[in-house]
Amino acid sequence: MNYNFYGWENADVKPISNKYEKITSPKELYDILSDIWCEQTCAPRMRDKWRKDNRTLGQCSITAFLAQDIFGGKVYGILRPDGNYHCYNVVGNCCFDLTSEQFGEEAKHLVYKDNPEQFRDVHFSKIEKKERYEYLKKLLEDKLANKQ
């Protein structure tokens, strides 16, 4: 299967704990998240633009920190023109961005090197972001509980 998120070709890292052993790779996580990303998990400032055909819009930080829970590694951020950071994951030599599709053609111009590390305590100091992360995590865990 072809994916369109950045780094999909080499996104073959494994989960770091048996809590998420049903998720065998970032590609599988992407498949599962594609069914559960929703307007409620989208950043509030972007909700009016969120659509099912652009599911990854406004999902970057909560998705990257959830992927970090599952695969380990670090979260980095690309500074955007609006002053916010677009978050992505690096695990060992594997760099992937499960939400890069939200940028359409612009995604080809994102630079995934020499960006600052991002920390959940800074991002989650915004209560709404922490709540969206917890909600996405619960949706994922519920989906995994029902996965055969």
Side-chain angles (χ1 to χ4, degrees):
M1 175 176 205
N2 276 346
Y3 291 88
N4 292 315
F5 68 84
Y6 178 85
W8 71 268
E9 305 93 328
N10 300 309
D12 292 323
V13 294
K14 302 295 178 208
I16 57 173
S17 83
N18 61 4
K19 179 177 182 179
Y20 296 106
E21 66 187 357
K22 292 180 181 178
I23 301 172
T24 60
S25 72
K27 290 179 264 194
E28 186 169 6
L29 176 60
Y30 175 88
D31 290 340
I32 296 167
L33 290 174
S34 291
D35 288 338
I36 60 177
W37 279 314
C38 60
E39 189 175 344
Q40 291 78 13
T41 58
C42 178
R45 71 185 194 291
M46 299 177 171
R47 281 190 184 148
D48 62 332
K49 295 181 177 123
W50 187 90
R51 300 177 322 274
K52 284 189 177 193
D53 63 344
N54 191 7
R55 292 182 160 90
T56 64
L57 180 70
Q59 312 283 347
C60 75
S61 63
I62 64 172
T63 298
F65 287 115
L66 185 56
Q68 183 183 46
D69 292 344
I70 297 166
F71 303 109
K74 294 184 177 183
V75 173
Y76 290 92
I78 300 169
L79 185 60
R80 303 291 299 146
D82 65 2
N84 290 302
Y85 282 92
H86 173 69
C87 296
Y88 64 94
N89 297 83
V90 176
V91 181
N93 292 327
C94 179
C95 176
F96 60 94
D97 180 356
L98 296 176
T99 65
S100 62
E101 292 171 294
Q102 68 182 295
F103 297 108
E105 287 298 310
E106 184 190 350
K108 295 176 185 174
H109 304 289
L110 296 175
V111 178
Y112 291 92
K113 62 181 180 176
D114 300 324
N115 292 305
E117 186 173 355
Q118 302 295 298
F119 299 95
R120 64 182 66 218
D121 60 333
V122 173
H123 281 266
F124 294 167
S125 66
K126 295 178 183 172
I127 299 301
E128 66 78 17
K129 190 177 286 191
K130 185 170 196 263
E131 289 173 348
R132 286 188 299 114
Y133 159 80
E134 290 171 352
Y135 182 59
L136 184 64
K137 187 174 184 176
K138 181 180 183 331
L139 291 173
L140 175 66
E141 290 172 356
D142 290 350
K143 184 96 170 165
L144 291 175
N146 294 323
K147 189 176 180 187
Q148 297 299 329

